[in-house]
Amino acid sequence: MIDRGWRRSVWQTYSLQTRHDGIQSLKKPEKAGQSVRAETTIEPSSFTEEKYALFRKYQMNIHNDSSTPSGFERFLVESPLLEPIIYAPGAPSHLPRSYGSYHQLYRLDGKLIAVGVIDILPHCVSSVYFFYDDTWEEFSLGKLSALREISLVCEMRNASVPGMDFLDPSYDGQEMTTISQPDLDEILMVSRVTERQILTQPIATSLYWDDKESRESIMTYIDGMGLDTAKEVVIVL
């Protein structure tokens, strides 16, 4: 459906078109002979003032919560996965070139109105977070981002990425697994590395755990890997 383009009638007409360079455009007639243009692009996760300003506005207006640039980077930018993705010859150039964290940018007439944070993992695309300008809240941008992520999985599968078959929905807005204090005491992180040894500590006693955004990010990864696996590994932050 996305490959062909779609239309729907709300109070005006929208037309979603996919161009060969992988950028999608959304046109909404406002007056006769006029239109606005929306584009979706994907890029490796990074911090920019433009993204952070949108994230800060979203956190305050939607969640009544404050934010910091360092928290934004830890939660939505840093990525430990950089292995190259092997495509079949002739794969579209706009597809991600390596596993890791990416930002899908949604722009309207050049202005950033939403960002989808995703992890490209072996066998799936994982939705991490989605934030947007609440001026456009009535247009269900979250549904559009879900369709775009499904399309990305299909594009990567069609480009012969082995086992790329799933979209892992975001934990945002969902209830995560409740972890007891004894279980938390068994989940370790690296606290310091010396020439002779690697020192660890329970993750719940670290400074990262005291930061709300970092704690939510840690809980997302623990939920994703499973509690038993989290107890068997040492987390590096």
Side-chain angles (χ1 to χ4, degrees):
M1 180 179 73
I2 289 181
D3 290 338
R4 295 194 302 269
W6 57 263
R7 291 178 181 271
R8 70 186 178 104
S9 177
V10 185
W11 55 279
Q12 291 182 339
T13 301
Y14 294 78
S15 172
L16 180 64
Q17 302 169 331
T18 302
R19 305 206 315 259
H20 291 298
D21 59 6
I23 301 175
Q24 293 183 335
S25 61
L26 175 69
K27 296 182 178 180
K28 180 188 69 173
E30 291 183 333
K31 297 179 181 179
Q34 293 186 356
S35 67
V36 295
R37 177 185 181 82
E39 295 181 326
T40 303
T41 57
I42 184 170
E43 64 180 35
S45 59
S46 65
F47 177 92
T48 67
E49 291 295 339
E50 182 185 36
K51 293 177 188 177
Y52 177 64
L54 180 61
F55 174 73
R56 182 174 56 191
K57 178 182 178 182
Y58 172 82
Q59 289 295 102
M60 183 59 67
N61 292 356
I62 302 299
H63 297 296
N64 194 29
D65 193 14
S66 59
S67 62
T68 63
S70 61
F72 174 85
E73 290 200 66
R74 286 196 302 270
F75 183 33
L76 300 176
V77 175
E78 294 178 0
S79 172
L81 300 175
L82 297 173
E83 296 181 13
I85 300 173
I86 307 301
Y87 291 104
S93 61
H94 67 271
L95 293 178
R97 310 320 295 177
S98 63
Y99 295 106
S101 297
Y102 286 82
H103 290 168
Q104 292 203 108
L105 309 182
Y106 298 80
R107 295 184 181 277
L108 191 63
D109 283 345
K111 180 181 178 181
L112 186 67
I113 63 169
V115 176
V117 184
I118 60 175
D119 285 342
I120 307 295
L121 306 172
H123 310 302
C124 79
V125 171
S126 177
S127 301
V128 177
Y129 204 69
F130 183 75
F131 56 96
Y132 56 89
D133 186 338
D134 60 330
T135 303
W136 301 91
E137 188 169 17
E138 66 179 292
F139 294 100
S140 302
L141 295 178
K143 294 180 181 178
L144 177 61
S145 75
L147 289 172
R148 183 66 194 97
E149 288 161 12
I150 292 170
S151 175
L152 178 60
V153 172
C154 293
E155 288 181 278
M156 294 181 70
R157 183 183 60 198
N158 292 340
S160 300
V161 176
M164 181 57 70
D165 293 323
F166 304 102
L167 173 67
D168 184 13
S170 172
Y171 288 102
D172 181 36
Q174 300 181 20
E175 184 176 352
M176 294 185 183
T177 302
T178 300
I179 302 178
S180 66
Q181 188 60 49
D183 284 331
L184 279 174
D185 291 340
E186 295 185 48
I187 300 175
L188 302 179
M189 65 165 286
V190 173
S191 60
R192 189 160 61 94
V193 178
T194 69
E195 293 182 357
R196 296 188 176 184
Q197 58 185 337
I198 298 176
L199 304 179
T200 64
Q201 70 180 101
I203 199 164
T205 65
S206 70
L207 294 177
Y208 291 101
W209 196 255
D210 293 335
D211 180 81
K212 181 176 182 293
E213 292 174 0
S214 296
R215 185 169 62 251
E216 290 177 350
S217 180
I218 291 168
M219 285 295 295
T220 295
Y221 283 111
I222 291 174
D223 240 44
M225 73 175 72
L227 181 58
D228 290 339
T229 302
K231 291 180 181 180
E232 296 295 326
V233 301
V234 176
I235 297 175
V236 180
L237 297 175

